[in-house]
Amino acid sequence: LKTHGQTIWEYANGLEYTPIDTRRHTAKGIGNSTTLSSDVTETAAARKVLLSLAESVSSRLRAAGQCAGMVNVEIKYSDFSVISHQTQLLTPSQNTNTLYQYACRLFDEAWNGQPIRLLGIRTSKLSDAAAVQMNLFDTAENEKLQKLDKALDEIRQKYGKTAVVRGSFLKNKDNLS
């Protein structure tokens, strides 16, 4: 096998001499998905999972200084078939509520009512957050939401991820026992 045999022997013995690329690469997309502990069959439960995923993805977008221009929702059913649906945002965003609203719309369009095993949100068409042109009609509301998200990120970074949680994530008194 000559030189190919030498290469195969090196790979088989865990030897690799190729230099490691240590340059930082920019992300082409940011997303998160979760396999559910039990199949979800209700829209309200699926929306709660989507809200959690939207919070995670938007937080990672803000940490990277990026805004998403496209949102994708992935649904894996209990029979392991998968459907994915995506849309382009009118204005690139890193806002939790914006991502959540788009994700819910995509979910409603894609879900066929079967039990859900996995839900995921992915963003792509990332752009620098400092260079995003705002929409003329929603700048005041968008500024408030950006400040809120930034404050929540700072609190969670300082005191932990569970320092501030949405009320919809709290359990009922009946479920606490």
Side-chain angles (χ1 to χ4, degrees):
L1 296 177
K2 300 184 183 178
T3 58
H4 296 295
Q6 177 70 25
T7 303
I8 292 170
W9 182 87
E10 288 173 354
Y11 287 157
N13 288 286
L15 302 175
E16 174 67 47
Y17 301 108
T18 307
I20 296 173
D21 184 6
T22 58
R23 295 175 290 164
R24 281 194 81 93
H25 298 279
T26 57
K28 293 183 181 181
I30 294 177
N32 196 6
S33 63
T34 185
T35 302
L36 306 168
S37 57
S38 61
D39 290 346
V40 170
T41 57
E42 297 176 7
T43 303
R47 286 180 181 265
K48 192 183 254 190
V49 173
L50 287 173
L51 179 56
S52 174
L53 293 170
E55 277 189 340
S56 169
V57 171
S58 64
S59 175
R60 291 175 55 202
L61 282 167
R62 288 188 296 276
Q66 301 283 310
C67 284
M70 185 168 285
V71 175
N72 175 299
V73 170
E74 179 183 11
I75 303 170
K76 184 181 285 186
Y77 296 110
S78 59
D79 65 358
F80 295 104
S81 62
V82 178
I83 187 166
S84 180
H85 206 46
Q86 68 183 18
T87 190
Q88 190 146 346
L89 278 65
L90 295 174
T91 305
S93 180
Q94 57 182 206
N95 178 267
T96 301
N97 288 342
T98 302
L99 294 180
Y100 174 65
Q101 289 171 357
Y102 275 95
C104 286
R105 192 181 88 209
L106 291 169
F107 173 79
D108 291 342
E109 291 172 4
W111 188 39
N112 65 9
Q114 288 183 311
I116 301 168
R117 177 73 47 92
L118 175 140
L119 276 173
I121 296 177
R122 264 189 241 111
T123 59
S124 57
K125 292 195 176 182
L126 302 184
S127 59
D128 187 11
V132 171
Q133 183 169 344
M134 303 306 295
N135 186 336
L136 179 64
F137 301 107
D138 66 356
T139 55
E141 180 68 22
N142 197 21
E143 261 185 62
K144 288 179 186 178
L145 293 173
Q146 283 179 344
K147 288 179 182 179
L148 173 65
D149 282 339
K150 184 178 179 191
L152 290 173
D153 287 344
E154 289 172 357
I155 291 170
R156 289 177 179 148
Q157 187 175 19
K158 187 172 183 177
Y159 298 107
K161 289 184 179 186
T162 58
V164 178
V165 294
R166 292 180 184 262
S168 59
F169 293 146
L170 298 174
K171 294 181 180 179
N172 297 347
K173 283 184 177 182
D174 300 333
N175 294 342
L176 293 177
S177 52

